[in-house]
Amino acid sequence: MGLLEVNDVNKAFGGLKALDHINLSVNEGSVHAIIGPNGAGKSTLLNCLIGRLVPDSGTVTFNGRSLVGVKPYEINQIGVSRVFQTPEIFGELTLLENVMIPALAHRDGTFRLDAWHRMDHEAEIRDRAEAGLADVGLAEKSDMVANSLSRGDKRRLELAMCLTQDPKLLLLDEPTAGMARHDTNRTIDLLKEISERRNQTMVVIEHDMHVVFSLAHYVTVMAQGGVIVEDKPENIKGNPKVQEAYLGGAHL
Amino acid sequence: APHLFVRRASAADYLNAPTGSTVTLGFNVPQTGPYADEGADELRAYQLAVEHLNGDGDGGMLNTMKPTALKGNGVLGKKVEFVTGDTQTKSDAARASAKRMIEKDGAVMITGGSSSGVAIAVQSLCQEAGVIFMAGLTHSNDTTGKDKRANGFRHFFNAYMSGAALAPVLEKAYGADRRAYHLTADYTWGWTQEESIKNSTENIGWETVETVRTPLGAGDFSQYITPVLNSGADVLILNHYGKDMVNSLTQAVQFGLKDKQANGKNFEIVVPLYSELMAQGAGEAVKGIFGSANWDWKLKNPGTEAFVKSFGQKYGQPPSQAAQTCYVQTLLYADACERAGTFNPCAVISELEGFEFDGLGNGPTLYRAADHQCFKKVLVVKGNENPTNQYDLLEIVEEVPVEQVMYDPSIFGGELGSCNPGV
Amino acid sequence: MDQILLQILNGLDKGGAYALIALGLTLIFGTLGVVNFAHGALFMLGAFCAVGLYQLLTLEMVSIDPNNMTPWGTPAEIRQPYIEAWFGEAGSTMLNFAVPLSILVAIPIMLVIGIVMERGLVKHFYRRPHAEQILVTFGLAIVLQEIIKVWFGANPIPIPAPEAVSGSADIGSWFGFAENAISYPWWRLVYLLFSVAVICAVFAFLQFTTFGMVVRAGMADRETVGLLGIDIDKRFTIMFGIAAVVAGLAGVMYTPILPPDYHMGMDFLVLSFVVVVVGGMGSLTGAVAAGFLLGILQSFASMTEIKSIFPGIDQIIIYLVAVAILLVRPRGLMGRKGVMEG
Amino acid sequence: MDFLDKDNLQNDLILIAIFAVAILTMPIWLEPFGASYPDLMQKFAIFGIFATGFNILFGLTGYLSFGHAAFLGVGSYTAVWSFKLLGMNPIPALIAAVIIAGVFALVIGFLSLRRTGIYFSILTLAFAQMCYNLAYSVLTPITNGETGLRVLRSDPRIFDGNGSDTGPLVASLFGIEMTGMAGFYFCAVVLILVSWLAIMIFRSPFGLMLKAVKTNQNRMGYTGLNTRPYALAAFVISGMYAGLAGALMCITDPLAGAERMQWTASGEVVLMTILGGAGTLMGPMLGAALIKYFENIFSAFNEQTLEHVFSFMPEGMRDATVSLAGLFVGEGWHLTLGLMFMIVVIFLPGGIIEGLRRLAKAVFGRKRPEQSHAARDDAAQTAR
Amino acid sequence: MTTTDTLERPGTKTPEGAPFLIVRDIHAYYGESYIVQGVSFEVRKGEILALLGRNGAGKTSTLRSVARVGTPDLKQGEIWLEDAPVHKMKAHEAARHGIALVPEDRRIIAGLSVEENLDLAQIAPPIGWSKERIFELFPRLGERRRQEGVTLSGGEQQMLAVARALARDVKLFLLDEPYEGLAPVIVQEIERTLEQIKEIGLTTVIVEQNAIAALHLADRAIILDMGQVVFDGSAREVLDNPELREQYLAV
Ligand SMILES: Nc1ncnc2c1ncn2[C@@H]1O[C@H](COP(=O)(O)OP(=O)(O)OP(=O)(O)O)[C@@H](O)[C@H]1O
Ligand SMILES: Nc1ncnc2c1ncn2[C@@H]1O[C@H](COP(=O)(O)OP(=O)(O)OP(=O)(O)O)[C@@H](O)[C@H]1O
Ligand SMILES: CC(C)C[C@H](N)C(=O)O
Ligand SMILES: [Mg+2]
Ligand SMILES: [Mg+2]
């Protein structure tokens, strides 16, 4: 059984079936890409995994534990971290603070009234956060306020925040969108390294096929709320269904 | 800073003993909030009193007061100065302001206030601090009843006296067979007034249908007035003051209560405690409505005439009863100091206790020693049907003799305690 | 029975007043997103438009009366309103209709006040934190209040309703109840009708023109609306002007019910915020519904029968209901998502 | 990331030391401002505590409570009841007030924090107004209504009520009466202690989490943090500060009135905090002092004092000046207050502290070599 | 590698036609941070200009300056569209002069439906494509016309953002990363649309991370780095110059 098991999940918005009998299994240590046309339901699926949405029916189990109806913070605490399509960061805090927060959450759990501690004694957390920023190439901006970052940098910040948590499962919703090619390549390398070094399990949504094919062990193709193909990347490229629904004549 | 300690530790045997050629009094009145106009009139009176005490102006009631030890050269030869402060009609603010006067400005006496809550709060402060408090406008029975203090004095009348004075007049005007409905401001003063009026009207045979408490500052009283319409009552008694009274009375009239018939009689409205400013605010609505007052500028006696003259000439308008009581309190205090030969509160208190005087506008008056309450005639007034000028809003119906409003000091309980000179 | 009918009527009337007072606030607060603590002051200024006009109309010709002296020894004065001196009968009629006439006066005045306030002050605060909006508008409210106090004094000033509608109507007899069983002041009925009319007019303006949508969009994202060629500033100004007029009219019409004084705005401020928020931010319908709901509940809570079961209920009913509604419904009765939730 | 500097604790200690000296020497340096009398200085300290506590909630988490006066009131009533029942020692009164205010805050906060933004504000407002209205009327047996709750000679006062009892009924700590200067020093010491606590909170991981609550609650959730207990803890802590302030008011002056709970009182602490600078360490205290100064000193001016002030002018000019100035002081002090509110927000966005920072910048140029820690932290806060 | 002296008027290089948009030495700030540091370029009528550069290079800031959005604050420099002094305008005036910006974060307006988002674009003149025509191009939007705009999927939102610009009659089209988050099929579709737009003769400035795709479409390209122009030349030049691509675009 995989680390993450999605079983027959449905989700509708009014009349619109955003998720239609979805099944998905992600094995520990694998990088699983989800691709599909816009509006296919990819982000909605991730929303169901992290507790932002509750599926109308079906089961989601992570590490043998059901995630349906569990609060987002609890899901995160058991090891699921997500990068969003539109960056969710602490806009008014500095980059370092942004990354220290997940580091603290990772160490201390969901709530701790440590009002008598001092941040300046938290050297370990700080090192961890700085390392995280360095990983994504934001080290020298660590004192900037997050809101003043350019868009691509916000993305990277969010990635750093997720990585400092050492999640068991990392969900990435278009992590390289808006990133310069150069940084996209760096991000690919980073994710690859993490995947190999830590044996990190990841689910990646991407429209950039370069990223998908460099990273993924498996690819699931979604369209109109359903899964149309699930296979190894090499087999996906040539699949006519995928060509039609998704790739068009795109330069790969 | 150091002088703070110096002052405290000065050789005198009472707090804030004036050392130079001046003596400082503290006038603590509402300058903001709904009672600001009332406070402004009180302040005018205080300034006038200071002027007169220092021998400026025409002397006002200094000339009519009997007996008097005042000479018009200040008090005990010291020129009177004053400090002012804003009570905001809140106990906290009033106490803060009074403390400033005592701690910073060295006031030996505090006077003023426009609400019983404030008066009681400041009175007990003065008691603890060790200065005299001469209450201004405060009508609750508690001020000289269960919350009386040795250092505190009240010239104004109270709810009990209002009831005692009003009842017979009401009986005469509306008969003994009446059913009354009370709307009462839901706080201490309202309750004591409701109780007093209820008792005295029941004594003349009226029945109390209902007593309803209304929140302070309700603004719109319609939801309390509508139930009156069909309650079987034929008199509405409004135990409200200030803005609340202006609103409730205006609205009661709008609901047609004044033109209504009930139990075969004309429906009537009574406002036990009246003031000129309220009458102004309520406009037309006050016409023909009975109430009581401590004093009115139209009274015919030398004190009143002298006071109205100097006030009118200085400010171009007649004084309100608030102004009168504040003015008189200042003179009474100064006179007592003069007689005691010192500002020491304990000496002043014993001069004021049991002091009998006349010529201050209310006829012969007694400062009763047992509760520090003045006893004098009480006026029953009525909204003037045909005012001849803009100040002529209330018409004096009767001057009720003091015997009729006298009561046993023990009925309200409370304990004066002993005088506190503050050191 | 008649008692209940009367309380319902009274509740409706109160509700109309609450709704009207809250309406002006919801335009600025719920729609433009400005926490406007000066709303009460606008309401008060409206009322003082009526006071001003009334005093203007009753401006008196003062002449010295040679035969009389005041008790304080200065010569007495004879006073006659100019308006009567000049126009006779017609003058008295104008005086009688001072309050309705004030509406005509108040509309341009309040419009100008609203526009000046927006252009001169509030404009710079749209993007500032709500806290600073509170501070600046509260400061403004105090200043306006104090100016009025210096000019008109602190005491309430009574303004009569036109004679024709100053008494009370025997509504019961219209519906076949006993005579005088249900009587209600005419002016309050007028007020109720007036509220309904103004509410409808504002609704029509915002629903049947794109104006409302544009303003909503501008509040969500001014920049983008600007990129679409829309001068959002101008629309905000107009909106503010309208809101000031609505607030002012509510004040004008309230004068015969409550003699206005400089402090009346503050007394209504909290109430109008509660009504708007209970109705739900950004929803005019919500504000109106909440106004009526709270008015009726307040009316009933004041009945002696109910007070004897829950003492003090009439004093807290509004807050109690507000708490209950906000705990059950996250955005009040019908608030829009995302408006002032952060 | 200034709070991670190595010498940081030391910086904070210096800061609090300077602060302590400034507070304790207030009687000296406030003299020229006419504000060096005990009652006003007590108010500075007490409202400083109130505003500092409020700032822990509002400045850090962004939750704008409009009902904090309720906790102040609860603290006051508790303190007076402690006097009445236990005796005039301030310590049990303080402890009881903080605990009871904390309990109230826990309940009200628990319910109110189910909502955010304006809905939260109105919930807190509604709770506080209910407390006020009930305290004023129905609960008079407990609160003594309008008159305010006082200590009476007839009260049991278990620990010191017996024996000859003629002294004034004021709180006293080991025989030192807590009125006048002694009362001020007592408040000042408490203020210094709780300011230190506030600094600790600002610098702690907990404080960082509170700032995170303000910026993005969603992200907090997806980062594994439960925002509610954080917000609730901040609410309760600030409620306890309010309770403490309320108790101190009664310790220096044993009377508790209902109007302390009215919405205007809640509004006042909001104004104090914003005026000084929300989210800054020292701003709220400054705002509190400024408002109290206006309330007590400006309202006390009258024509007579003004004439003293302007006595150097020729007569005609003096009269004109006095009557003009008279508009702004005495009964016109509210006008000055309103103008000050407007001027501060318009010209010093972010409050007085931010204004001072800009001033410092203008004077000392861009690069300030050694800036105090607090100023930097404050600047970072207000820049947001 | 060709780097152009920024002071030189690039317009002089290609003689045909007068410049349609002139951006001359603009400097823009976010508060005190100096971001756009003297950028100049020109675009001729009907041309597509690709604005390239790394993250944080200042591309968005440059576009926003041209569209006259409040931030960054344009403190110096001139922008002329035909004969209109755009640098003196506010955003809404610039929009009325035919400048349309498709912002990078899409800026779909919360609380408004898809259709209302489009309606909003058609309030102020000049009005462009009808809604019918737009829904023809983007049928997905047509299907979701009543849905609240912000609940659309990321890609759908991007479509709406482009559609909203088309709903106005545009002279100058400023596209900030229009392909971001779009599936390849849609990218192709938008590419085709842009080609159509190009055929109509609409002048366009496009910012895109996918430099290759952008360069295939564009006539000319500018590369920004650290808020300054480091290259200005034809699109072909960039495609043919691996060194340049390597250094500034890392492709
Ligand atoms: N809250 C919502 N209400 C209504 N419809 C929604 C909501 N959220 C998503 N949808 C719809 O559900 C569908 C799936 O959306 P989703 O965001 O999962 O797409 P996606 O696969 O992530 O697309 P993209 O690649 O464009 O981001 C879309 O058509 C979207 O419009
Ligand atoms: N609001 C802001 N406040 C302060 N600095 C900002 C702000 N927005 C952007 N910046 C800074 O300006 C620089 C240029 O940003 P800009 O958004 O123009 O870059 P970009 O080239 O569009 O990058 P990207 O490809 O990541 O979108 C960046 O260093 C960024 O940090
Ligand atoms: C001013 C007073 C005469 C009435 C006031 N309400 C009181 O409490 O006493
Ligand atoms: Mg998506
Ligand atoms: Mg960009």
Side-chain angles (χ1 to χ4, degrees), chain B residues 88-276:
Chain B
Q88 304 177 40
T89 325
K90 292 179 187 159
S91 306
D92 275 343
R95 279 169 80 106
S97 175
K99 276 192 183 171
R100 173 184 52 75
M101 296 171 174
I102 298 169
E103 294 176 351
K104 170 167 180 266
D105 304 314
V108 289
M109 180 275 267
I110 304 292
T111 171
S114 220
S115 144
S116 298
V118 167
I120 292 169
V122 176
Q123 176 167 287
S124 67
L125 173 87
C126 291
Q127 177 71 40
E128 305 297 349
V131 297
I132 297 281
F133 177 65
M134 302 295 283
L137 264 195
T138 154
H139 183 251
S140 167
N141 295 337
D142 293 347
T143 313
T144 51
K146 82 175 180 20
D147 292 316
K148 59 176 163 271
R149 288 288 184 277
N151 284 27
F153 291 85
R154 169 163 69 180
H155 171 261
F156 208 66
F157 70 150
N158 65 15
Y160 177 92
M161 300 189 203
S162 286
L166 262 176
V169 178
L170 293 178
E171 183 178 15
K172 201 156 28 152
Y174 303 143
D177 178 26
R178 282 283 184 168
R179 297 160 59 80
Y181 193 109
H182 287 252
L183 288 184
T184 303
D186 198 355
Y187 67 98
T188 343
W189 166 76
W191 303 342
T192 61
Q193 176 164 308
E194 177 190 283
E195 188 189 63
S196 294
I197 304 294
K198 195 167 154 240
N199 287 342
S200 47
T201 49
E202 281 173 3
N203 278 345
I204 57 168
W206 288 19
E207 188 185 328
T208 306
V209 180
E210 193 89 66
T211 58
V212 172
R213 306 274 162 94
T214 65
L216 190 72
D220 186 359
F221 288 88
S222 56
Q223 77 267 34
Y224 300 102
I225 294 171
T226 40
V228 180
L229 297 171
N230 304 318
S231 63
D234 48 32
V235 178
L236 173 64
I237 296 176
L238 295 174
N239 298 308
H240 288 146
Y241 189 76
K243 209 164 151 176
D244 277 358
M245 185 243 129
V246 168
N247 293 336
S248 65
L249 178 57
T250 311
Q251 289 159 8
V253 172
Q254 277 167 9
F255 272 83
L257 285 182
K258 247 161 82 174
D259 317 321
K260 201 175 146 69
Q261 297 281 316
N263 310 330
K265 307 183 193 83
N266 279 330
F267 197 99
E268 304 293 349
I269 304 175
V270 177
V271 177
L273 178 63
Y274 244 138
S275 85
E276 297 82 349

Side-chain angles (χ1 to χ4, degrees), chain A residues 13 16 18 36-45 85 173-174 205 207, chain E residues 140 144 147 151-156 181:
Chain A
F13 297 110
L16 178 82
N38 296 114
K42 305 180 295 293
S43 301
T44 306
L45 176 60
Q85 196 164 358
D173 199 345
E174 308 195 21
I205 296 178
H207 288 301
Chain E
R140 278 198 88 81
R144 290 175 167 61
Q147 189 173 326
T151 64
L152 290 174
S153 82
E156 290 161 350

Side-chain angles (χ1 to χ4, degrees), chain B residues 95 117 119-125 128 142 146-149 188, chain D residues 77 80-81 83-84 88 142-144 146-155 169 253-257:
Chain B
R95 279 169 80 106
I120 292 169
V122 176
Q123 176 167 287
S124 67
L125 173 87
E128 305 297 349
D142 293 347
K146 82 175 180 20
D147 292 316
K148 59 176 163 271
R149 288 288 184 277
T188 343
Chain D
Y77 284 124
V80 176
W81 272 110
F83 293 151
K84 285 166 93 73
M88 302 306 291
I142 304 173
T143 61
N144 202 22
E146 184 214 15
T147 314
L149 190 66
R150 286 156 307 152
V151 188
L152 303 174
R153 302 230 172 255
S154 52
D155 287 330
L169 280 173
D253 182 1
L255 173 116

